[in-house]
Amino acid sequence: MPMLGFGTYELDDYDECVESVTTAIETGYRHIDTAEGYDNESAVGDAIAESDVPRDDLFVATKVSPDDLDYDKVLTSAEESLERLGLDYIDLLYVHWPTGEYDAEETLEAFAELRDEGLIRKIGVSNFTVDLLSEAIEVAEEPIFANQVEMHPLLQQEELREFCDQDDIDVELVAYSPIARGDVADIPELRSVAEKHDASEAQISLAWCREKGVTAIPKATSSEHIQENWRSLGVELDDEDVAKIDSIDREERLIDPDRAPWNQ
């Protein structure tokens, strides 16, 4: 899984989504993230189909919505996502939220069947706490490959990172909203590091995620921001930079619905 991906949350205008994903692929992104609930899988699929990049060079992820998480609905949802995307397989399929019809054993059994059939390559979960992730790992018939969560310097997810760093746990973390929807531009510590590297605060935030071993999937619309985020791969932070960002003592969630497991 490429360490920098392209997120498509809120890219629900068809033409805008096709253009943005096309620009991302032309820029160099090979990891594209979408979801059943984003209502843009068809646009993402059309952008992929128009690309000259071979399918096997792309890593495509999508998610099953909470209302489609019972066994039969998971299978149907995945087939419908494949049809909208115009793909023969999905590289990574996520449980979008552990709410609605989610049942660890039943839901993940359906995901395992999809993997056995070759319709998906890897199983993921999203917005899972340590407890929910631990349960999923225990009951799943196939390995849990990734947990996608909100993560950025204002929400550093230390507990989850420490859990996933254990020797007997092999789960990748994927960060959505990794630049905190632009809020990182207002953080003095990030501004200081950005000035040192002649980079933007967004690029520093993405480089920090990479230093933590976390895959970031920033969403962007304009060609300028898509390319700016991509250039973060050229930013190398030193230990002092990382320590300065680690010292930010804030915990600010941008995605915090009442249904979220941490609110139960």
Side-chain angles (χ1 to χ4, degrees), residues 85-160:
L85 288 163
L87 301 177
D88 294 327
Y89 66 91
I90 294 165
D91 294 277
L92 174 57
L93 185 67
Y94 291 99
V95 174
H96 202 160
W97 287 90
T99 58
E101 296 187 346
Y102 175 72
D103 175 87
E105 292 189 8
E106 180 178 328
T107 299
L108 294 172
E109 182 182 356
F111 273 66
E113 179 173 330
L114 290 167
R115 188 173 186 269
D116 288 343
E117 292 177 355
L119 298 178
I120 69 174
R121 296 284 175 86
K122 299 180 185 297
I123 296 170
V125 298
S126 184
N127 298 299
F128 275 46
T129 61
V130 166
D131 288 345
L132 284 167
L133 181 56
S134 180
E135 177 191 38
I137 292 169
E138 182 177 346
V139 305
E141 299 174 11
E142 298 284 349
I144 302 298
F145 175 74
N147 183 20
Q148 184 179 132
V149 296
E150 179 183 348
M151 179 178 160
H152 43 72
L154 302 180
L155 184 66
Q156 299 193 8
Q157 297 285 12
E158 292 180 52
E159 184 182 12
L160 267 173

Side-chain angles (χ1 to χ4, degrees), residues 18-112:
V18 170
E19 181 178 357
S20 296
V21 174
T22 297
T23 299
I25 294 173
E26 290 175 348
T27 298
Y29 293 83
R30 295 295 179 263
H31 175 182
I32 309 297
D33 182 273
T34 181
E36 175 188 6
Y38 295 173
D39 294 325
N40 63 13
E41 287 176 318
S42 294
V44 170
D46 286 348
I48 290 171
E50 293 171 9
S51 167
D52 293 332
V53 176
R55 167 66 184 99
D56 288 346
D57 289 347
L58 294 173
F59 188 94
V60 181
T62 191
K63 310 175 191 72
V64 180
S65 297
D67 290 342
D68 288 333
L69 290 175
D70 79 16
Y71 184 89
D72 290 332
K73 287 183 181 178
V74 167
L75 303 181
T76 300
S77 171
E79 291 173 358
E80 291 174 346
S81 286
L82 281 165
E83 183 175 349
R84 286 189 292 268
L85 288 163
L87 301 177
D88 294 327
Y89 66 91
I90 294 165
D91 294 277
L92 174 57
L93 185 67
Y94 291 99
V95 174
H96 202 160
W97 287 90
T99 58
E101 296 187 346
Y102 175 72
D103 175 87
E105 292 189 8
E106 180 178 328
T107 299
L108 294 172
E109 182 182 356
F111 273 66

